[in-house]
Amino acid sequence: MSILQNVKDLVRSRSIHVSYVDVGSCNGCDIEVLACLAPRYDIEQYGIYVHNNPREADVLLVVGAFTPGWEEKLKGLWNKIPEPKAAIAIGNCPISGCVFDRRGSYVDPPVAKHIPIAAEVPGCPPRPTEILQAILSIRDSVFAEWEVKRK
Ligand code: SF4
Protein backbone atom coordinates (compact mmCIF):
# COMPACT_ATOMS: atom_id res chain seq x y z
CA MET A 1 0.00 0.00 0.00
CA SER A 2 1.37 3.43 -0.92
CA ILE A 3 2.28 6.11 1.62
CA LEU A 4 -0.43 8.29 0.10
CA GLN A 5 -3.02 5.58 0.71
CA ASN A 6 -1.79 5.16 4.30
CA VAL A 7 -2.09 8.89 4.94
CA LYS A 8 -5.55 8.92 3.37
CA ASP A 9 -6.66 6.00 5.54
CA LEU A 10 -5.32 7.65 8.69
CA VAL A 11 -7.07 10.95 8.00
CA ARG A 12 -10.24 9.20 6.87
CA SER A 13 -10.38 7.07 10.02
CA ARG A 14 -10.50 10.25 12.14
CA SER A 15 -13.15 12.18 10.21
CA ILE A 16 -16.75 11.21 9.84
CA HIS A 17 -18.42 11.59 6.46
CA VAL A 18 -22.13 12.24 6.37
CA SER A 19 -24.60 11.73 3.54
CA TYR A 20 -28.07 13.13 3.57
CA VAL A 21 -31.43 12.01 2.20
CA ASP A 22 -34.81 13.72 2.36
CA VAL A 23 -37.62 11.18 1.92
CA GLY A 24 -40.40 13.76 1.98
CA SER A 25 -40.18 16.67 4.37
CA CYS A 26 -41.58 20.18 4.66
CA ASN A 27 -37.96 21.37 4.41
CA GLY A 28 -37.94 22.61 8.00
CA CYS A 29 -35.43 19.95 9.02
CA ASP A 30 -33.42 20.50 5.82
CA ILE A 31 -32.85 24.08 6.88
CA GLU A 32 -31.62 23.00 10.33
CA VAL A 33 -29.22 20.49 8.75
CA LEU A 34 -27.98 23.22 6.41
CA ALA A 35 -27.48 25.48 9.43
CA CYS A 36 -25.02 22.89 10.77
CA LEU A 37 -22.84 23.59 7.71
CA ALA A 38 -22.95 27.38 8.08
CA PRO A 39 -20.29 29.31 10.05
CA ARG A 40 -22.36 29.58 13.24
CA TYR A 41 -22.30 25.82 13.91
CA ASP A 42 -19.49 24.92 11.50
CA ILE A 43 -19.85 21.14 11.48
CA GLU A 44 -16.38 20.72 9.94
CA GLN A 45 -14.65 21.95 13.10
CA TYR A 46 -15.71 18.60 14.63
CA GLY A 47 -14.21 16.62 11.77
CA ILE A 48 -17.61 16.00 10.15
CA TYR A 49 -17.85 16.34 6.37
CA VAL A 50 -20.94 16.22 4.21
CA HIS A 51 -20.53 13.92 1.25
CA ASN A 52 -22.98 13.51 -1.60
CA ASN A 53 -21.53 10.15 -2.57
CA PRO A 54 -22.87 7.41 -0.26
CA ARG A 55 -19.90 5.19 -1.14
CA GLU A 56 -17.69 7.68 0.74
CA ALA A 57 -20.06 8.09 3.68
CA ASP A 58 -20.11 6.67 7.21
CA VAL A 59 -23.39 8.12 8.41
CA LEU A 60 -26.72 8.62 6.64
CA LEU A 61 -28.96 11.42 7.89
CA VAL A 62 -32.61 10.70 7.07
CA VAL A 63 -35.09 13.55 7.03
CA GLY A 64 -38.79 13.48 6.20
CA ALA A 65 -41.82 11.23 6.37
CA PHE A 66 -41.23 7.86 4.70
CA THR A 67 -43.62 6.73 1.97
CA PRO A 68 -43.61 3.32 0.21
CA GLY A 69 -42.21 4.92 -2.95
CA TRP A 70 -38.95 5.33 -1.07
CA GLU A 71 -38.58 1.67 -0.08
CA GLU A 72 -36.16 0.57 -2.78
CA LYS A 73 -34.41 3.92 -3.16
CA LEU A 74 -33.62 4.24 0.54
CA LYS A 75 -32.45 0.64 0.84
CA GLY A 76 -30.32 1.07 -2.29
CA LEU A 77 -28.72 4.17 -0.82
CA TRP A 78 -28.12 2.42 2.50
CA ASN A 79 -26.54 -0.58 0.79
CA LYS A 80 -24.08 1.65 -1.07
CA ILE A 81 -22.59 2.92 2.20
CA PRO A 82 -19.69 0.67 3.23
CA GLU A 83 -19.40 -0.80 6.74
CA PRO A 84 -19.08 0.45 9.40
CA LYS A 85 -22.06 2.73 8.98
CA ALA A 86 -24.95 4.22 10.90
CA ALA A 87 -28.15 6.08 10.12
CA ILE A 88 -29.71 8.91 12.12
CA ALA A 89 -33.37 9.92 11.90
CA ILE A 90 -33.60 13.72 11.98
CA GLY A 91 -36.86 15.28 13.18
CA ASN A 92 -40.25 13.83 14.09
CA CYS A 93 -41.13 12.87 10.51
CA PRO A 94 -38.88 9.80 10.13
CA ILE A 95 -39.69 8.80 13.72
CA SER A 96 -43.49 9.13 13.76
CA GLY A 97 -44.62 10.68 10.47
CA CYS A 98 -45.35 13.88 12.44
CA VAL A 99 -47.96 16.12 10.77
CA PHE A 100 -47.99 13.94 7.64
CA ASP A 101 -49.24 10.79 9.41
CA ARG A 102 -52.97 11.29 8.92
CA ARG A 103 -55.73 8.84 8.04
CA GLY A 104 -55.53 8.02 4.35
CA SER A 105 -52.00 9.34 3.92
CA TYR A 106 -49.27 7.28 2.28
CA VAL A 107 -46.83 7.94 5.10
CA ASP A 108 -45.41 4.76 6.62
CA PRO A 109 -43.40 5.56 9.77
CA PRO A 110 -41.02 4.89 11.38
CA VAL A 111 -38.11 4.82 8.94
CA ALA A 112 -36.45 2.35 11.36
CA LYS A 113 -38.72 -0.34 9.81
CA HIS A 114 -36.77 0.01 6.59
CA ILE A 115 -33.13 0.64 7.58
CA PRO A 116 -31.41 0.33 10.98
CA ILE A 117 -31.45 3.63 12.85
CA ALA A 118 -28.66 4.21 15.38
CA ALA A 119 -29.92 7.50 16.79
CA GLU A 120 -33.04 9.65 16.67
CA VAL A 121 -33.25 13.42 16.95
CA PRO A 122 -36.85 14.31 17.79
CA GLY A 123 -38.22 17.79 17.18
CA CYS A 124 -40.20 19.66 14.59
CA PRO A 125 -37.63 20.67 13.64
CA PRO A 126 -34.73 19.77 15.97
CA ARG A 127 -32.03 22.35 16.68
CA PRO A 128 -28.71 22.21 14.84
CA THR A 129 -26.94 21.57 18.15
CA GLU A 130 -29.10 18.47 18.70
CA ILE A 131 -28.27 17.19 15.21
CA LEU A 132 -24.57 17.76 15.87
CA GLN A 133 -24.77 15.98 19.22
CA ALA A 134 -26.42 12.96 17.60
CA ILE A 135 -23.68 12.65 14.98
CA LEU A 136 -20.98 13.04 17.62
CA SER A 137 -22.70 10.48 19.88
CA ILE A 138 -22.28 7.69 17.33
CA ARG A 139 -18.87 8.83 16.08
CA ASP A 140 -16.88 6.70 18.51
CA SER A 141 -18.69 3.49 17.62
CA VAL A 142 -18.15 4.12 13.88
CA PHE A 143 -14.47 5.01 14.41
CA ALA A 144 -13.90 1.97 16.61
CA GLU A 145 -14.68 -0.34 13.73
CA TRP A 146 -13.39 1.79 10.88
CA GLU A 147 -9.82 0.59 10.60
CA VAL A 148 -10.84 -3.06 10.81
CA LYS A 149 -13.78 -2.99 8.39
CA ARG A 150 -12.55 -0.53 5.74
CA LYS A 151 -9.22 -2.23 5.05
S1 SF4 B 1 -40.20 17.09 11.59
FE1 SF4 B 1 -41.39 19.00 11.31
S2 SF4 B 1 -39.91 20.45 10.46
FE2 SF4 B 1 -39.02 18.41 10.17
S3 SF4 B 1 -39.66 17.80 8.10
FE3 SF4 B 1 -41.20 16.99 9.57
S4 SF4 B 1 -42.83 18.55 9.64
FE4 SF4 B 1 -41.00 19.51 8.72
Side-chain angles (χ1 to χ4, degrees), residues 21-24 65-77 105-109 114:
V21 62
D22 180 346
V23 296
F66 186 91
T67 51
W70 270 94
E71 179 84 48
E72 278 185 37
K73 281 184 268 186
L74 184 64
K75 282 188 177 152
L77 193 57
S105 86
Y106 289 104
V107 170
D108 184 24
H114 309 283

Side-chain angles (χ1 to χ4, degrees), residues 22 24-30 32 63-65 90-100 121-126:
D22 180 346
S25 78
C26 75
N27 294 133
C29 287
D30 295 310
E32 302 305 318
V63 169
I90 306 288
N92 289 348
C93 276
I95 299 169
S96 67
C98 198
V99 294
F100 300 109
V121 191
C124 183

Side-chain angles (χ1 to χ4, degrees), residues 32-44 48-50 128:
E32 302 305 318
V33 172
L34 280 177
C36 294
L37 308 178
R40 180 166 183 185
Y41 297 101
D42 187 17
I43 204 170
E44 291 191 0
I48 304 167
Y49 299 92
V50 176

Side-chain angles (χ1 to χ4, degrees), residues 11-140:
V11 172
R12 195 57 193 79
S13 67
R14 300 292 181 274
S15 62
I16 199 156
H17 287 204
V18 170
S19 250
Y20 174 82
V21 62
D22 180 346
V23 296
S25 78
C26 75
N27 294 133
C29 287
D30 295 310
I31 290 166
E32 302 305 318
V33 172
L34 280 177
C36 294
L37 308 178
R40 180 166 183 185
Y41 297 101
D42 187 17
I43 204 170
E44 291 191 0
Q45 71 182 302
Y46 303 100
I48 304 167
Y49 299 92
V50 176
H51 229 290
N52 283 334
N53 182 358
R55 295 182 201 283
E56 290 282 340
D58 308 303
V59 172
L60 182 65
L61 303 183
V62 185
V63 169
F66 186 91
T67 51
W70 270 94
E71 179 84 48
E72 278 185 37
K73 281 184 268 186
L74 184 64
K75 282 188 177 152
L77 193 57
W78 176 246
N79 290 337
K80 282 181 186 158
I81 301 176
E83 295 282 353
K85 60 186 171 184
I88 302 177
I90 306 288
N92 289 348
C93 276
I95 299 169
S96 67
C98 198
V99 294
F100 300 109
D101 190 20
R102 295 287 180 267
R103 193 159 45 144
S105 86
Y106 289 104
V107 170
D108 184 24
V111 77
K113 286 195 299 193
H114 309 283
I115 60 170
I117 295 293
E120 293 178 338
V121 191
C124 183
R127 295 171 190 272
T129 47
E130 294 168 330
I131 297 169
L132 265 168
Q133 278 172 4
I135 298 170
L136 293 173
S137 74
I138 60 165
R139 186 173 62 170
D140 287 349

